[in-house]
Amino acid sequence: MFMSETVNQRIKRLRKDLNLTQSEFSTIITISSGQLACIETEKRAVNDRTIKLICDSFKVNNEWLRTGEGPVFLENKDSNYFKLVALYDTLKPAFQNYILHSINFFIKIQENDVKTG
């Protein structure tokens, strides 16, 4: 008999697919790592708030998370994009500004590489 994947199992798989530790994932979605561990081991049911936090943080398809139907992500981007955005959102504004400055620096270097060939 085929047993379908539970929402708890999909959360664990999503976290692993994003290459995040329980601590990193729980920090991003603003729950305790103990709560996440209980969810992943199916000792705790997943509530609507946690589903919303996961969907909002990683742009996950609510239908997929609840039922396993449809695409995992709402937008057609790879998981590294969502991981980057979610981690960026957890940083203090000063660190966010540093990252934006660094990205602009790398864009200029890339543009120079394209020009010089």
Side-chain angles (χ1 to χ4, degrees), residues 11-95:
I11 289 171
K12 184 175 184 177
R13 181 163 54 101
L14 174 68
R15 177 184 63 78
K16 288 184 172 196
D17 288 349
L18 291 169
N19 293 316
L20 293 170
T21 64
Q22 284 184 335
S23 177
E24 292 167 332
F25 191 87
S26 62
T27 297
I28 291 167
I29 65 169
T30 65
I31 66 171
S32 74
S33 55
Q35 184 178 352
L36 179 62
C38 286
I39 287 170
E40 288 189 359
T41 57
E42 303 205 31
K43 292 178 181 170
R44 175 176 277 179
V46 181
N47 61 32
D48 289 339
R49 177 183 175 274
T50 302
I51 288 175
K52 181 170 177 19
L53 289 168
I54 292 169
C55 291
D56 290 349
S57 296
F58 297 103
K59 305 296 185 243
V60 169
N61 179 353
N62 187 296
E63 180 185 356
W64 173 82
L65 192 55
R66 289 180 186 274
T67 69
E69 298 294 319
V72 175
F73 296 106
L74 293 174
E75 298 177 24
N76 189 18
K77 303 213 186 264
D78 71 19
S79 63
N80 283 331
Y81 170 82
F82 297 109
K83 179 179 176 182
L84 178 64
V85 171
L87 289 171
Y88 175 85
D89 285 343
T90 67
L91 295 173
K92 294 178 181 178
F95 294 121

